[in-house]
Amino acid sequence: MDAQQFYRSRLGTVEGALGLIRSGDTIATSIYGNEPTHFLRNLHTIADHVDSVTLWTMFMMGKYSVMYDESLKGKIDIISFFYNADCRAGHHTGRFSMVPLNLHSVGATIVATKRPTVFVAGVSPMDEEGRVYLSFDLQASLECMAAADTVIFEINRHIPRVFGECAVPIQRADYIYEADTPLPHAEVSAFTEVERRIGENVASLIRDGDCIQLGIGNIPNAVGE
């Protein structure tokens, strides 16, 4: 069976993909521009026939009912290593839990903590070699894909092809559906007066010839180191 035949044999709908989710499943998704937006927009609709489903979230870009609907407690609950605004807003519901980890070991820690049984990724359209692309996300996707029992690809024409390890054979998918959804993106917000003053104070420390290394999250680097 060639790649095109395989693609057609696995092609379905987002409703068919959601129908693969069973009680007790743990779902992980790709993130950033590979967030499977169509799947996540509809995930809350399965709550009437599942229990004890867990969704791994990382840097959720879109606004989805599955993150806000308090009636989903015990149906679809959230586990995350990045307790973002959505998690903090829903903390009082008891639906959210936090797993501390080192950024360099995200994938391995996710799998060791609560292994994904289902992995869902937004990917580029298939190329002539039968590959799709996780163009924006190798943070944990490959590890979660390897660990999952079921792999679902949301084919999105807006996701470009970026060459390298993010190329994945279409045969890794157990189920495929197509979606035409714009890429998720972070909203730009105006900085505050406090943030402006922080920036000015930091800038005042910089001297000609300095070598600047920036840290993010739990990476222990700082300006000037």
Side-chain angles (χ1 to χ4, degrees):
M1 185 184 299
D2 65 21
Q4 288 291 345
Q5 291 172 322
F6 182 89
Y7 189 102
R8 291 191 294 270
S9 73
R10 296 293 193 275
L11 184 62
T13 63
V14 67
E15 291 80 12
L18 292 164
L20 299 175
I21 309 301
R22 300 288 183 263
S23 293
D25 272 339
T26 297
I27 305 167
T29 70
S30 51
I31 58 176
Y32 307 125
N34 289 101
E35 191 167 281
T37 54
H38 200 40
F39 180 88
L40 290 168
R41 285 175 186 164
N42 291 279
L43 182 55
H44 67 284
T45 64
I46 70 171
D48 61 345
H49 58 270
V50 298
D51 290 292
S52 303
V53 170
T54 301
L55 173 65
W56 270 106
T57 63
M58 298 171 221
F59 301 96
M60 196 70 79
M61 302 285 286
K63 299 296 182 183
Y64 306 111
S65 295
V66 71
M67 299 294 289
Y68 304 112
D69 189 343
E70 297 185 14
S71 71
L72 297 180
K73 181 174 173 57
K75 298 286 189 176
I76 308 174
D77 292 322
I78 309 297
I79 186 170
S80 181
F81 71 84
F82 186 77
Y83 220 63
N84 65 6
D86 292 339
C87 298
R88 297 192 298 273
H91 180 79
H92 69 281
T93 67
R95 293 184 60 222
F96 295 81
S97 58
M98 168 75 177
V99 176
L101 50 74
N102 292 315
L103 193 59
H104 73 274
S105 59
V106 173
T109 304
I110 286 175
V111 172
T113 301
K114 193 169 179 64
R115 180 183 70 86
T117 56
V118 179
F119 174 70
V120 189
V123 297
S124 74
M126 186 175 69
D127 68 12
E128 61 279 2
E129 302 296 328
R131 297 169 298 199
V132 295
Y133 293 81
L134 289 160
S135 304
F136 304 105
D137 176 34
L138 290 181
Q139 190 155 17
S141 283
L142 295 182
E143 294 90 340
C144 290
M145 188 188 312
D149 302 319
T150 302
V151 175
I152 299 170
F153 286 162
E154 178 176 298
I155 308 292
N156 188 344
R157 70 179 182 86
H158 297 283
I159 297 177
R161 297 168 183 166
V162 175
F163 300 106
E165 194 176 359
C166 57
V168 179
I170 192 65
Q171 289 85 354
R172 290 292 292 112
D174 297 294
Y175 196 88
I176 299 165
Y177 64 92
E178 297 171 347
D180 185 3
T181 55
L183 295 183
H185 63 278
E187 297 295 332
V188 177
S189 58
F191 60 83
T192 66
E193 176 62 20
V194 170
E195 290 166 337
R196 184 189 65 79
R197 290 172 60 190
I198 290 171
E200 289 176 348
N201 289 339
V202 171
S204 70
L205 302 175
I206 308 303
R207 300 289 181 268
D208 289 346
D210 279 347
C211 179
I212 304 171
Q213 182 173 344
L214 300 179
I216 183 171
N218 56 353
I219 302 175
N221 295 326
V223 173
E225 289 189 334

